[in-house]
Amino acid sequence: MIISRRTFTIGAMLAAGTAGWPAFVKAQGAKTIAVLFDGLYSPFWVAGLDAIKRDLESRGFEMVQAISDQDDNRQFEQVKSMLARNVDGIIIVQTDSNAVIPAIRAANEAGVPMVHFNRPPAESDAKSVTVLADNRRITRETVQYMVDVARERGGTYKAAILIGDLGDPNAVNRRDGFFDIVDQHQDIIEVVARIPTEWNADRAFSGLTNAFQANPDINFLFTSSDFMFPQIVQVMQVAGKLHPIDSPDHVIFGGFDGDATAYKLMEDKLLDADGVQDLFYEAELAVNAIVDLQAGKEVEPVLLDPGFAITQANLEERREDMWGYHIHKAS
């Protein structure tokens, strides 16, 4: 089953509460936390893994990790292996929101808390915690700034959006956040291209190339993830569409994640706005949830990172809060 707005809502998870959860209480002290990612295929996931590792190390905890390479069965076996090692908790980026349910049940039976990092599971009676960016709200803020720029510049706009894998609730919420805003401004913005990417950079490249060929007057562009920026920039350069913000030919341009490439594009005055996820805060939330559950404390099923939109107007003020800025600065 594909997760959609009909089958997944943050509100439903929040309403579930923690009543009836299994007992996770264990002795305090040094802990071993399993960190299971489905892949490291974008800078966001690489930085996320590093942020979790740094947080665990700062507490004197041991981290054991495994990568499933987007293989559901492999990830389930990894979960069972970690449970057999008697880990104190599991932080997971699951390969599939439905396929992870048996893994959650196995962790529940073993009395080991599981926290989903930045990607929620499908709804079920299995008990876990999700740390999640407020994708829809962050996207709204980002796109609203883009629209404000369009209003200030004047004229009308042909818009394109690169959409992620709609089996991923994050992609659904970013798409919906985009349309929440642009649908209110149809007097100046017409969406002429909805480009599916399935979170695949090659598909993003070919889809955007085709969109510019079919609509050479596209002048408003949003990508649902920054990891596709290298391909997007290449396409824009070939199409003669990459111009700084003070150029009359500038394409109003926005993205989502807050990576190092996004920061560099903003520094170079090519990108108008970017939705930023606070990776450091999300890592802290994930580890805190494990610790609190083991201590017998109540933890909400969904812990939200409010994030923010970094823009040309607040770049100097907010860049220290942008995880990609720190990577850019260290490179």
Side-chain angles (χ1 to χ4, degrees):
M1 179 179 70
I2 297 297
I3 296 298
S4 71
R5 287 173 293 173
R6 292 183 295 276
T7 56
F8 171 81
T9 63
I10 290 174
M13 294 180 70
L14 286 169
T18 55
W21 282 38
F24 295 123
V25 179
K26 290 189 178 182
Q28 296 301 303
K31 302 182 188 300
T32 300
I33 308 299
V35 181
L36 310 179
F37 274 37
D38 74 330
L40 297 175
Y41 42 83
S42 80
F44 177 82
W45 297 119
V46 175
L49 183 64
D50 184 64
I52 293 170
K53 180 179 180 181
R54 288 173 182 270
D55 190 287
L56 291 172
E57 287 177 346
S58 74
R59 303 174 194 237
F61 295 172
E62 179 186 358
M63 182 177 100
V64 289
Q65 71 179 70
I67 306 297
S68 66
D69 292 323
Q70 299 178 289
D71 185 316
D72 298 337
N73 293 327
R74 179 183 298 175
Q75 189 168 71
F76 186 42
E77 292 303 315
Q78 289 169 347
V79 169
K80 291 194 294 184
S81 175
M82 295 301 175
L83 294 174
R85 292 181 60 170
N86 294 314
V87 297
D88 297 287
I90 296 173
I91 298 173
I92 189 168
V93 177
Q94 30 85 1
T95 60
D96 180 86
S97 57
N98 286 282
V100 76
I101 301 302
I104 305 172
R105 295 191 194 286
N108 288 170
E109 290 174 8
V112 174
M114 178 178 285
V115 175
H116 302 271
F117 185 73
N118 205 263
R119 186 179 290 165
E123 290 184 53
S124 76
D125 59 356
K127 304 302 181 184
S128 59
V129 170
T130 297
V131 173
L132 190 65
D134 195 343
N135 288 273
R136 191 164 182 166
R137 188 187 66 80
I138 298 169
T139 303
R140 286 174 183 156
E141 289 185 9
T142 305
V143 178
Q144 183 62 62
Y145 179 85
M146 296 169 64
V147 170
D148 291 345
V149 170
R151 289 283 183 191
E152 184 176 347
R153 291 173 67 96
T156 58
Y157 291 83
K158 299 293 180 68
I161 175 176
L162 288 100
I163 299 170
D165 182 348
L166 294 180
D168 177 353
N170 292 345
V172 174
N173 281 301
R174 294 173 199 178
R175 178 202 63 187
D176 291 350
F178 174 86
F179 283 104
D180 285 345
I181 300 302
V182 297
D183 283 352
Q184 299 177 41
H185 299 275
Q186 295 182 45
D187 58 318
I188 64 165
I189 299 174
E190 178 189 4
V191 179
V192 296
R194 297 166 173 82
I195 304 164
T197 69
E198 307 297 327
W199 296 140
N200 180 289
D202 291 336
R203 291 198 65 180
F205 180 89
S206 60
L208 186 58
T209 298
N210 293 337
F212 274 129
Q213 289 174 348
N215 301 278
D217 52 353
I218 287 173
N219 54 359
F220 190 103
L221 176 63
F222 178 79
T223 174
S224 297
S225 178
D226 293 352
F227 91 90
M228 296 182 283
F229 273 146
Q231 290 73 27
I232 293 169
V233 167
Q234 185 179 355
V235 173
M236 293 177 74
Q237 287 173 328
V238 171
K241 291 287 187 176
L242 192 65
H243 303 282
I245 59 174
D246 57 358
S247 167
D249 297 319
H250 173 67
V251 172
I252 297 174
F253 190 14
F256 192 107
D257 275 334
D259 74 8
T261 302
Y263 176 76
K264 184 64 168 64
L265 288 170
M266 296 201 71
E267 184 181 53
D268 292 343
K269 308 294 185 183
L270 295 169
L271 186 70
D272 292 272
D274 201 59
V276 179
Q277 304 185 72
D278 190 340
L279 266 181
F280 312 115
Y281 179 58
E282 290 182 20
E284 181 182 3
L285 284 176
V287 180
N288 283 346
I290 297 277
V291 173
D292 287 346
L293 286 168
Q294 288 184 340
K297 297 179 181 178
E298 184 172 329
V299 178
E300 292 296 330
V302 176
L303 304 174
L304 279 180
D305 162 23
F308 66 98
I310 197 159
T311 70
Q312 287 294 337
N314 69 7
L315 182 62
E316 293 297 319
E317 174 189 353
R318 297 301 306 268
R319 67 182 183 180
E320 288 287 344
D321 300 322
M322 185 181 188
W323 60 272
Y325 169 69
H326 294 276
I327 294 174
H328 171 79
K329 187 168 60 171
S331 61

